[in-house]
Amino acid sequence: MNKQVSFHVDIDSPEKLLKFWGLERTLLNQNALDRFYQIAIKRALSLFHESDSQVTFFCVGDELEASPAARERIRQAFEFGHEIANHTYSHPY
């Protein structure tokens, strides 16, 4: 039997998630934001590679704009054949 599944990954930094819950504060400086993307996307890409899965990554524009590491990792995801989609520019709530 040919099994199919559709995965999407909403990429929200810890700061964006805190804002969602009404805890608006700045936790991530530039280095922390870069590190978040380096670790989170590396882990996700490894998991999807091991399971031979293609996914859609939904990205927040202002974080891609602010983080060179985020842009690099998302470009890497695209090069691995994953779909890249917009999760708004600033993720307003």
Side-chain angles (χ1 to χ4, degrees), residues 1-5:
M1 177 191 312
N2 186 7
K3 297 180 183 181
Q4 293 185 353
V5 66

Side-chain angles (χ1 to χ4, degrees), residues 22-83:
L23 303 169
E24 198 165 339
R25 52 181 85 146
T26 301
L27 294 178
L28 301 178
N29 62 28
Q30 185 62 49
N31 290 335
L33 182 63
D34 288 344
R35 189 81 177 128
F36 165 76
Y37 273 92
Q38 289 169 342
I39 292 170
I41 303 304
K42 181 179 180 179
R43 287 179 180 169
L45 291 175
S46 177
L47 171 71
F48 296 128
H49 176 74
E50 290 172 19
S51 64
D52 194 27
S53 301
Q54 297 302 120
V55 305
T56 302
F57 286 92
F58 285 91
C59 306
V60 179
D62 64 354
E63 290 191 349
L64 289 178
E65 191 172 69
S67 173
R71 291 190 301 274
E72 178 183 328
R73 288 293 184 194
I74 296 303
R75 185 176 299 113
Q76 183 181 29
F78 177 77
E79 290 170 356
F80 289 169
H82 299 288
E83 182 179 31

